[in-house]
Amino acid sequence: ASVVVSGEGIQARVIEHIKPLNGKEIALLRDRLAELQALLKPFKDSPPQETTADPNLASPSLPPAVDRAAAQTEIAQIRAKLANPKNRSQENRQLSEDIVLEMTVAPNAAPGWRELRLMTNLGLSNPVIFHVGELPEVTEREPNDGVADADLSAAVPLVLNGQIMPGDVDRFRLELKKGTKLVITAAARRLMPYLADAVPGWFQATLTLYDPDGREAAYADDHRFDPDPVLYYEVPQDGAYVLEIKDAIFRGREDFVYRITAGQLPCVTGVFPLGGPADATTLVTLTGWNLPSETITAGPYSQAPDIVPLSLGKHLCDSPVFAVDVLAECLEKEPNNQQDRAQQVSLPIIVNGRIESADDCDVFSIQGRAGATLVAEVLARRLGSPLDAILTLTDAAGKVLLANDDHEDKAAGLVTHHADSRLSTTLPADGAYFVYLADAQHKGGPAWAYRLRLGPPRPDFALRAVPSSINVRPGAGAPLTVHVLRRDGFAGEITLTLKDAPRGFSISPMRIPSDKDDIRVMLRAPRTADRAPLTLRLEGHARIDGRKVTRPVVPAEDMMQAFFYRHLVPTQELKVAVVGRPAAVASAR
């Protein structure tokens, strides 16, 4: 087997492949262990032998010479294989084998998230996440349950890597200086987004920091709606602090892995506004800890509508995102929490605002025409805001025409609570209408930001391709499912194309009918191809309101969460491996 890593600057090789043993293999190893132990049995246990007159002559009845060091090494290896608990229990069959890799990261490798796949004779595996960092890194050493790892006493900033097994608690000793504005973030669910056979469907990590006297100084079990905890603490005195990580209900297994980043590092907890016009610059205000600046300038951007990361420099805990669009935009203006104080806006518009306090409600007045379709959509949770939006539409008399709390967006594969609201309705008459926006949990604050789109429908679509690793024989085809995520009533036909694909690759069918939300496509490979996996790109083309629209086909994995829920989780690349013998070609008779 070999290893395929996205991006440049990483070399990887397989060190060992550990499989569970069957009954015959266990019996043979035990026999070999007994044989080696017999060879190493002390000579004193042998029957006494007659000595010879010449002490320099060895007795012919002594056992033959044994390479004791080699035998002891082999005994240790056999015992390690026999001790593998997976020989006896297969509770999680998807974890039955282990691969040990050696990863070499070049000094100039770009930091960030990568995808790692195994390449075997049968083809490519699904991708898993691997992170290239910029800070010193250490790996936990067991036992570190009762007391912190005695061999690890490190100064921040650093990254801690580890694994939580059943009932496990990992503790690390950190040397901290007074005045340090410490930020600790755990990547756990981020590394393994969904577990099919575990509730709630991920490793629910908790972080606890203890002061030099052993008292709890800080605790976190999540970050707002994100299951991965973030902990902030201003250190009051020099000393050795203990950081503890565990699962919230003491579960654990091999895929409960984590990366903890700790140090006086920048961490953004909020941005405002959450987006801006694509063709202009936007002054964005930042909130958080250890920030080098309280504002940045975003834009302009070449593509819209889109959601892009904000670039904020090195060692950032995680990059916030920023929405760009082509519609007119405005800021919410207080006071606007009642109908008689409603903020008047002209359609179409995007309003950037905040639910600034508990039980705050922002009200907007629009002029509608009979028979016109109005769409009101909130972007908040998908942009990192904690807002759990609820939208209500009323007429001028205050009669509720429509309300919505949650609206599922299948394009947001890592969102488990689809808290962004959306309304779409045909207005019954000319006149004034009112849109109310509030938090369903009656919460609010500076971070409770939103973007509210008001106006007629904007038909559009997004595409996802599953799986993101395809294995196909030379000259043959492999299935690929393309999901169509139709928006604002788009019901048109879509044409699929391969973009810049090597010669010999093709897809069929190339058209997704207007009545289909997914289609099975056959990707065909040339009869000869490079051994190295290839990266392919697909696009979808459609006509919307008389203009041609092109959207990328985003590779994804169809993941199950907690025995039931399914998510289309985007990946970085669509990888294709052409493996095996060429497909047979039918001959004409």
Side-chain angles (χ1 to χ4, degrees), residues 193-504:
Y194 296 111
L195 303 176
D197 56 349
V199 177
W202 50 73
F203 165 24
Q204 181 62 64
T206 71
L207 293 175
T208 307
L209 184 69
Y210 296 94
D211 67 16
D213 296 323
R215 295 187 296 263
E216 181 180 306
Y219 173 84
D221 64 353
D222 54 29
H223 179 58
R224 296 173 179 158
F225 58 88
D226 189 339
D228 285 346
V230 176
L231 186 151
Y232 173 76
Y233 182 68
E234 187 166 351
V235 179
Q237 59 178 319
D238 293 358
Y241 291 71
V242 173
L243 175 64
E244 173 189 279
I245 182 171
K246 61 179 177 60
D247 179 71
I249 53 176
F250 293 95
R251 302 166 304 161
R253 62 189 201 189
E254 286 93 333
D255 52 1
F256 277 43
V257 294
Y258 60 83
R259 280 173 64 82
I260 299 173
T261 303
Q264 186 165 306
L265 302 170
C267 182
V268 176
T269 60
V271 302
F272 187 82
L274 296 177
D279 59 354
T281 59
T282 302
L283 185 65
V284 180
T285 301
L286 308 175
T287 55
W289 304 301
N290 303 320
L291 301 179
S293 173
E294 294 183 353
T295 61
I296 62 167
T297 300
Y301 298 94
S302 60
Q303 185 173 340
D306 202 358
I307 296 176
V308 299
L310 284 175
S311 179
L312 300 175
K314 298 178 63 176
H315 306 319
L316 190 69
C317 294
D318 210 351
S319 295
V321 293
F322 189 77
V324 294
D325 213 303
V326 295
L327 295 181
E329 303 205 5
C330 72
L331 293 174
E332 171 230 350
K333 297 178 181 178
E334 293 285 354
N336 64 344
N337 58 346
Q338 296 177 358
Q339 181 171 315
D340 59 358
R341 295 184 176 182
Q343 179 177 344
Q344 294 186 1
V345 294
S346 299
L347 306 183
I349 192 77
I350 292 176
V351 182
N352 294 282
R354 290 186 177 104
I355 300 299
E356 296 182 346
S357 60
D359 291 317
D360 185 19
C361 181
D362 292 344
V363 187
F364 303 94
S365 172
I366 61 174
Q367 289 296 315
R369 298 181 59 184
T373 299
L374 172 69
V375 174
E377 182 176 17
V378 174
L379 270 177
R381 185 62 60 91
R382 287 169 286 180
L383 300 177
S385 168
L387 175 66
D388 182 1
I390 183 168
L391 281 174
T392 305
L393 175 68
T394 74
D395 61 16
K399 178 183 177 181
V400 175
L401 302 179
L402 197 62
N404 177 259
D405 184 0
D406 297 339
H407 176 76
E408 182 179 6
D409 180 3
K410 292 184 178 180
L414 293 175
V415 173
T416 53
H417 178 193
H418 293 270
D420 289 344
S421 304
R422 182 182 180 276
L423 297 176
S424 179
T425 189
T426 301
L427 300 179
D430 292 354
Y433 293 87
F434 296 87
V435 178
Y436 293 73
L437 173 55
D439 184 85
Q441 300 180 44
H442 304 279
K443 296 180 179 179
W448 270 248
Y450 62 82
R451 281 169 66 81
L452 172 63
R453 173 172 67 94
L454 297 169
R458 293 200 300 175
D460 206 341
F461 63 95
L463 299 166
R464 298 290 185 267
V466 175
S468 64
S469 297
I470 304 173
N471 301 301
V472 57
R473 294 171 61 192
L480 180 70
T481 300
V482 177
H483 295 266
V484 184
L485 312 179
R486 300 180 182 273
R487 295 171 174 166
D488 276 16
F490 171 73
E493 183 180 83
I494 300 171
T495 301
L496 298 174
T497 60
L498 281 170
K499 183 176 176 61
D500 302 326
R503 185 176 180 180

